[in-house]
Every structure is written in structure tokens, then in C-alpha cells.
Amino acid sequence: VGVEKDMKKSIYHVEQAAIGGHAEARHNLAYEEYRTGRIERAVKHLTIAANLGLDESIEMLMKCYANGLISREDFAAALRAHQAAVDATKSPQREEAEYWETT
């Protein structure tokens, strides 16, 4: 039979996760905003997620820039913030763990 989906409740919980700093939730909100035609809000969510270091969001912003939905300056700022977030998560311990994970 299955379970009925309550989209309002689903979006509410994704919004709560986004407010709490969950980058993938921000990315998902961007998708929902884009799907419903609110492009400007979608770009804002993608920018926040990219600033938190989410690679998928910076890739989507690159597509937005290519399609003229975001300015060069805004894209450059998001790219710098994304790189800063990625750099902030680097450590010798993480790099060693990644090395052993891939070998």
C-alpha cells in the first residue's frame, strides 16, 4: 500500500536541517526552489551550501553562471568561500585516513 508523502512536512524538516547548517539540505532546498521557478532563492541556497564546502553546489553554481543566472562577481565569491571551507577541513590526520581508505 505504501506511505502517503506529506511534502509540506518534508520541506519543513529539510528547512530545519538547512537552518542547522546541513549543506546537503541547503542543496536540496535549492533544487525545490528551482523546480518551482524561484531561481533567485535557489541560487541563494546553492551559494550557502557552496560556502559550507559542498562540491555539488559549486558545480550547480557553475552551471548557473554559464546560463547567466549569477554574476561573475557572485560566482567568484562563492568559489573563494567554497575553497576556504574545503581548506578548513584539511588536516594531516584526515589526509592519512584518506590515504589508507583508498589503498
Side-chain angles (χ1 to χ4, degrees), residues 2 5 9 20 25 42 46 52 57 83:
K5 289 186 180 179
K9 189 179 280 188
L46 287 172
L52 293 171
S57 290
Q83 189 59 52

Side-chain angles (χ1 to χ4, degrees), residues 4 8 14 30 39 44 56 62-63 75 80 90 97:
E4 187 177 321
K8 284 185 178 184
V14 172
I39 308 302
K44 286 181 183 182
E56 292 88 351
M62 193 177 308
K63 290 177 183 177
F75 178 65
R80 285 189 301 272
K90 290 183 179 178

Side-chain angles (χ1 to χ4, degrees), residues 11 29-39 41-42:
I11 290 172
L29 280 177
Y31 173 77
E32 188 61 30
E33 296 288 5
Y34 184 84
R35 191 182 69 74
T36 57
R38 294 183 292 241
I39 308 302
R41 287 178 59 96

